Amino acid sequence: MEEEVFFNYLKVALQNLDSTKALQFNIEMEIRRLLKQYSPEQIKEKIK
């Protein structure tokens, strides 16, 4: 899934959960930061 498609799904999910625009923005920016900083393998390891 392309990054922008993922973020579109994320925005709709957050809207469905009645999140504020500020919270939606903060979550999107944090995910973008994590995508730049960590590989998928590193994220899996952090979740464990």
Side-chain angles (χ1 to χ4, degrees):
M1 179 181 307
E2 290 183 24
E3 191 173 306
E4 288 307 312
V5 173
F6 168 78
F7 283 109
N8 288 337
Y9 276 99
L10 177 65
K11 287 176 186 178
V12 171
L14 291 170
Q15 288 172 354
N16 289 346
L17 294 170
D18 294 324
S19 299
T20 64
K21 295 257 184 206
L23 180 60
Q24 291 175 25
F25 176 80
N26 288 337
I27 291 171
E28 181 178 343
M29 291 301 111
E30 178 63 8
I31 292 172
R32 287 184 189 277
R33 183 186 73 78
L34 292 171
L35 286 169
K36 289 179 185 176
Q37 189 171 357
Y38 298 109
S39 70
E41 293 79 23
Q42 290 172 313
I43 293 293
K44 287 179 187 177
E45 192 62 34
K46 286 192 165 292
I47 292 172
K48 292 180 181 179

